[in-house]
Amino acid sequence: MKTLNPVFVIKVAIHLCALTPLLFNYYWSITDQNGADPVKAIIHFTGIGALNILLLTLLVSPSAKFFKLGWLMQTRRLIGLYCFFYACCHLLNFWWFELGFQVSLFIEELIKRPYIWLGMSGFVILFLLAITSPHSVRRKLGKNWQRLHYWIYPASILVWIHFYWSRKADISEPFLYLTVILILLALRKQKLKNWIRFR
Amino acid sequence: MKIIKSNRSQFKDHQITDEDIFNNKRDFLKKMGFVGAGSLITSPSHAGLFDWLKSDDTPPKKDPEPPKPLNFKALDKSGFELTPEQKVTHYNNFYEFGTSKQDPSEHAHNLTTNPWELTISGLVEQKITLNYEDLFKRFALEERVYRLRCVEAWSMVIPWVGFSLADLLKQAGVSSGAKYVSFKTLHRPSEMRGQSSRLIGGSIPYPYTEGLRIDEAMNPLAFLAVGLYGKSLPNQNGAPIRLVVPWKYGFKSIKSITEIKLSKIMPKTTWNLSAPNEYGFYANVNPDVDHPRWSQASERLITSGGLFDQQRIKTLPFNGYAEQVAHLYKDMDLRRHF
Ligand code: HEM
C-alpha cells in the first residue's frame, strides 16, 4: 500500500479545521444560538479567525526551516487563501448583518472610521496576494511576485492596529498578539531589512 | 405622567426565546473540547488565542443564587417587543467580572450581595444607610420598560423593577448647595476578578464611579432598579441595586452601587477618566455626535432573531425620551458637552 502523502493529509486537515468552525458559527448565528448578539459574534469570530490564520501563514516558513520539513511550504498557499476567505466573510458580515447592506452607510463608515481604513488596507493587501497566488500568475510575475508578497508583513501590522483600535478598553489580548507578530517578524529580521533597503 | 418610552410603534409583539437553545450550544462546545481550549479558531465565547492566559479554571466559589420574585406594581407589557430575559442576563458590560460580554454571567455569582450597604451622604439633610432588605422594602416598587442604548451602538428593551432616584434623594433631603450626585460601585477585588487583575478588568480605574447633575438625578425618569423581569437583579446585571438613566448611554447606568454622594463639584467618572475624548460626563444619547470610532446615527436593536432577522433602527435624540428631558439641556452646546 502506498503511504499517504503528508502534504495531502495536512491539506485535508487544513480544509476541515478552517471550514468546520466557520460553518458551525454561521449555523449558530443564523439560528440565534451564538450569544445574545449573533451579529457581533460572527464579525468577531471571522475577524479573529482571519488574524489567527494570518499568523499561522507567517509561522509556516520558520517551522519548515526549523524542523527541516521542506514539504510544509506547499501548505502555505492554502492557509493564506483561507486567511483571505475569512477576511471576506468578516467584511461581508459587517456590511450585511451589521449595516443591513446599506451602501451609503457602508461607504460612510469606510470613509469616516480610521480603524476601518486600516482593516480595509489590510484587506486590499490580502486581496492582491490572493489573486496573485495561482502558480501561473506567480511564474508570470517572476521576481516581482516575491516583492509583492512581502506586503504580508505590513498587512499583519495594519490588521493588528485595526484589532487594537476596535477594542474599547480590553487591550491585553491585542498586546499578546503584538508580541507574537513581533516575534514572527523578528525571525525574518534580515529579510525585512533587505526588503526595506532595496524595495 | 408618561414614563415609559414614547415610540411604542417600533416594537413588535413580545417574543420569547428558549433558554435551552443557549445551553445546547455550550454543551456541544464542551463535548467538542472547544470551550477553554484556546483552539486555533475559537468560539466567540472564548474569542482569543490567548484566553487561556487569563482564564482561571478554579471552581466557582459559590453556587449562583437564584433571583427572588418581587412585589411590585406591574406594567402591561403587551405592546412591547422586549429583549428576551436570557439575552438581558447573558450579554453584559460589567468589567469588574471581565471584559467580554459573557464574562459577567460566568463569574458574577461569586459576588455576595446580602448583606449590602448603600449610603446616601454628602450635601444631604440627613445621611441614609440602606441595608439589603431596605432596598426592596423602603420604597414602593414599580415596573418600567426602558430601552437601554449602549455606547457601542446596540440596544435592548428591558422591564426593570425599582423606584425613582428622586424618591430616595427626597428622603435624604437635598441641601441647597448640592449640584451633582456621584455614584460608586462596590470595590471588592476578592469577589470581583476584574478589580484584582488589570488583565481581566480592562485596565480601567476601579472602583467604577459615575455622576449626574442634580436636576438630571431628580428627573422622574432616573431610576434605581433592584430587579428585572419581575425578579431581583441577577449579579451580572448589577445586583442588588443599580442606576438606570434611559436617555444616556448605558455606561452611565452604574451597577452594584454602595455609595451615593451629593456634592458641589462635578464628580470624576470612570470612562471619562479613561478616554476623555470618547466619553463625556453627560453622555446623552445623540445621533448627531458620533463616537470617534463609530457612528451613533443608528443602532442594532437586540431582540430575538438570528443573522437574517436583524433590526437596525435610527437612534433618537435622548434615546427617544427628549420630551421628558430635553429641557434640561436647552442652553447647552451638546456637541461640546457630549
Ligand atoms: C474592509 C475591511 C474590514 C472591515 C470593514 C472590518 C470591520 C470590522 C469591525 C466592524 C469590527 C468589529 C468592531 C466591533 O467590535 O464592533 C472588526 C473587528 C476585527 N477585525 Fe476587521 N474589518 C476589516 C478587515 C479586517 C481584516 C482584513 C482582518 C484580519 C485579517 C480583520 C480582523 C479583525 C479583528 C481581529 C477584529 C477584532 C475582533 C475581536 O475583537 O474579537 N479585519 N473589524
Side-chain angles (χ1 to χ4, degrees):
Chain A
M1 203 184 87
K2 213 180 98 186
T3 51
L4 279 171
N5 176 353
V7 177
F8 175 77
V9 174
I10 294 262
K11 279 190 173 172
V12 170
I14 291 169
H15 283 293
L16 286 176
C17 289
L19 288 175
T20 318
L22 188 70
L23 290 177
F24 272 113
N25 263 276
Y26 271 108
Y27 172 73
W28 287 325
S29 269
I30 287 166
T31 54
D32 196 17
Q33 303 177 59
N34 216 354
D37 189 349
V39 176
K40 274 269 145 43
I42 199 78
I43 290 178
H44 285 193
F45 171 78
T46 47
I48 239 15
L51 179 56
N52 286 346
I53 301 173
L54 199 160
L55 299 187
L56 210 62
T57 56
L58 294 184
L59 195 63
V60 174
S61 79
S63 315
K65 239 184 248 145
F66 187 81
F67 297 109
K68 304 211 165 39
L69 297 171
W71 55 265
L72 217 52
M73 293 303 283
Q74 295 175 46
T75 64
R76 194 172 62 175
R77 186 172 68 136
L78 182 61
I79 303 177
L81 283 172
Y82 266 119
C83 170
F84 177 63
F85 182 60
Y86 266 66
C88 289
C89 293
H90 179 62
L91 180 62
L92 193 69
N93 291 335
F94 173 63
W95 187 10
W96 190 348
F97 306 119
E98 178 74 44
L99 304 181
F101 257 142
Q102 293 179 59
V103 178
S104 57
L105 188 58
F106 181 62
I107 293 174
E108 202 187 305
E109 288 292 290
L110 289 188
I111 294 171
K112 262 185 133 163
R113 313 281 155 221
Y115 88 95
I116 298 228
W117 302 344
L118 293 159
M120 196 70 203
S121 36
F123 183 80
V124 169
I125 294 175
L126 292 179
F127 173 76
L128 291 174
L129 304 193
I131 56 167
T132 55
S133 68
H135 292 304
S136 56
V137 183
R138 180 173 186 166
R139 267 193 306 277
K140 248 183 239 145
L141 285 176
K143 249 187 15 221
N144 288 329
W145 186 90
Q146 186 58 59
R147 274 214 194 122
L148 176 65
H149 279 245
Y150 275 140
W151 279 88
I152 194 66
Y153 306 127
S156 66
I157 299 286
L158 291 170
V159 167
W160 178 80
I161 304 173
H162 166 71
F163 172 34
Y164 168 78
W165 225 339
S166 79
R167 285 291 171 101
K168 207 166 59 166
D170 176 26
I171 50 173
S172 50
E173 194 172 289
F175 276 100
L176 287 163
Y177 270 88
L178 182 63
T179 312
V180 173
I181 292 173
L182 291 179
I183 292 171
L184 287 169
L185 294 184
L187 291 174
R188 317 164 147 81
K189 210 165 67 201
Q190 203 48 50
K191 223 198 287 179
L192 280 167
K193 268 195 199 144
N194 293 342
W195 178 56
I196 290 166
R197 210 171 307 142
F198 298 114
R199 195 164 38 107
Chain B
M1 187 182 0
K2 218 167 88 192
I3 292 240
I4 45 180
K5 60 174 312 336
S6 45
N7 43 346
R8 287 175 86 112
S9 55
Q10 52 186 197
F11 302 107
K12 285 189 232 126
D13 287 340
H14 175 94
Q15 294 175 357
I16 46 164
T17 8
D18 188 355
E19 196 158 320
D20 292 346
I21 293 182
F22 283 81
N23 298 334
N24 256 343
K25 187 195 140 190
R26 277 205 84 72
D27 286 351
F28 176 85
L29 280 172
K30 283 213 170 95
K31 281 193 200 109
M32 297 278 288
F34 279 6
V35 175
S39 47
L40 158 65
I41 301 153
T42 48
S43 79
S45 54
H46 283 261
L49 249 183
F50 300 99
D51 270 8
W52 53 272
L53 271 178
K54 0 182 208 182
S55 75
D56 47 351
D57 281 331
T58 46
K61 275 179 248 144
K62 290 197 300 179
D63 288 331
E65 235 174 275
K68 57 174 190 183
L70 298 174
N71 276 324
F72 59 95
K73 201 170 102 223
L75 192 76
D76 172 20
K77 295 184 287 298
S78 55
F80 295 105
E81 184 183 11
L82 300 175
T83 301
E85 185 177 356
Q86 178 73 20
K87 295 202 176 200
V88 175
T89 57
H90 287 73
Y91 193 79
N92 308 98
N93 277 325
F94 198 171
Y95 281 19
E96 278 80 347
F97 298 105
T99 52
S100 91
K101 301 280 190 287
Q102 293 86 358
D103 280 337
S105 57
E106 283 169 19
H107 299 282
H109 59 268
N110 290 319
L111 178 66
T112 311
T113 57
N114 185 9
W116 193 262
E117 208 168 79
L118 167 62
T119 58
I120 297 88
S121 62
L123 298 176
V124 289
E125 271 144 29
Q126 58 165 3
K127 191 176 155 178
I128 296 183
T129 302
L130 299 178
N131 66 26
Y132 183 80
E133 294 298 324
D134 294 335
L135 299 177
F136 302 94
K137 298 224 172 89
R138 181 75 69 97
F139 303 92
L141 300 182
E142 60 171 310
E143 185 171 43
R144 293 187 192 177
V145 174
Y146 283 152
R147 189 173 58 220
L148 181 87
R149 168 62 157 82
C150 179
V151 72
E152 298 164 337
W154 52 266
S155 58
M156 291 186 176
V157 182
I158 304 171
W160 301 105
V161 178
F163 50 89
S164 282
L165 173 60
D167 289 350
L168 174 65
L169 296 181
K170 278 180 205 150
Q171 201 166 83
V174 178
S175 299
S176 54
K179 293 219 169 64
Y180 293 94
V181 187
S182 66
F183 304 83
K184 202 178 266 178
T185 295
L186 176 73
H187 186 72
R188 192 181 287 161
S190 61
E191 292 181 351
M192 297 171 126
R193 59 202 280 272
Q195 291 177 342
S196 59
S197 156
R198 290 168 64 83
L199 212 57
I200 294 171
S203 316
I204 59 171
Y206 294 111
Y208 195 93
T209 57
E210 257 310 332
L212 295 172
R213 227 168 47 193
I214 193 80
D215 57 338
E216 297 177 321
M218 296 302 281
N219 186 282
L221 283 185
F223 197 60
L224 285 168
V226 296
L228 59 81
Y229 269 98
K231 290 162 289 188
S232 60
L233 289 174
N235 286 357
Q236 62 266 32
N237 294 84
I241 186 164
R242 65 168 295 167
L243 186 65
V244 187
V245 205
W247 71 95
K248 292 176 182 284
Y249 292 121
F251 66 85
K252 295 294 289 183
S253 293
I254 183 171
K255 301 185 180 82
S256 304
I257 308 170
T258 57
E259 208 181 291
I260 299 179
K261 213 170 192 166
L262 280 67
S263 66
K264 209 179 240 160
I265 51 165
M266 185 186 271
K268 298 250 182 290
T269 57
T270 299
W271 277 106
N272 183 241
L273 285 173
S274 359
N277 59 325
E278 300 190 352
Y279 311 102
F281 173 81
Y282 286 97
N284 291 317
V285 175
N286 189 344
D288 299 326
V289 177
D290 282 349
H291 185 280
R293 285 179 282 155
W294 55 84
S295 164
Q296 296 291 23
S298 58
E299 70 207 45
R300 226 152 22 74
L301 182 60
I302 297 183
T303 48
S304 57
L307 283 186
F308 297 107
D309 193 14
Q310 293 296 317
Q311 302 187 52
R312 195 164 189 99
I313 59 175
K314 276 203 162 19
T315 291
L316 299 168
F318 302 105
N319 200 21
Y321 302 91
E323 211 178 294
Q324 292 97 326
V325 300
H327 65 272
L328 298 172
Y329 312 99
K330 64 176 185 296
D331 294 323
M332 283 173 60
D333 177 0
L334 293 176
R335 287 190 171 274
R336 211 153 62 82
H337 299 281
F338 57 87

